[in-house]
Amino acid sequence: MNKIVLQIGLLIFALSLIYFGQRNMEFIDVILKSFVMFIFSTLAIALITILFMKSINSASMKKNASIAKNLKGK
């Protein structure tokens, strides 16, 4: 999962390089703004992924507990 998040972040970095490069900015500004976009997008995607995985795990645990409860009752 970490590789996917990192690759999406690198894609955003590359796209932001193209976007900011088209704006006739200085080279250093293009690199810095693209790097900032990379950092923030990667952190945001990582947090969303963590929250998504936790919600799946909690739903799975609840389902397992209800199945175990039903099996003990029979």
Side-chain angles (χ1 to χ4, degrees):
M1 189 64 72
N2 291 336
K3 285 184 178 182
I4 295 171
V5 170
L6 184 62
Q7 288 179 354
I8 292 172
L10 288 174
L11 175 65
I12 291 171
F13 176 74
L15 291 175
S16 63
L17 276 176
I18 294 168
Y19 176 77
F20 292 129
Q22 298 272 327
R23 301 280 176 207
N24 294 329
M25 301 169 77
E26 290 186 26
F27 181 71
I28 298 298
D29 289 336
V30 171
I31 297 294
L32 287 175
K33 287 184 180 186
S34 297
F35 186 68
V36 168
M37 290 287 294
F38 167 72
I39 295 295
F40 285 125
S41 64
T42 304
L43 287 175
I45 294 169
L47 289 174
I48 290 169
T49 304
I50 289 169
L51 293 174
F52 181 69
M53 295 299 283
K54 281 189 176 186
S55 70
I56 288 175
N57 285 340
S58 67
S60 168
M61 292 295 211
K62 288 178 185 176
K63 189 173 182 179
N64 286 341
S66 70
I67 289 173
K69 187 177 180 180
N70 288 339
L71 287 176
K72 285 183 180 178
K74 289 184 178 184

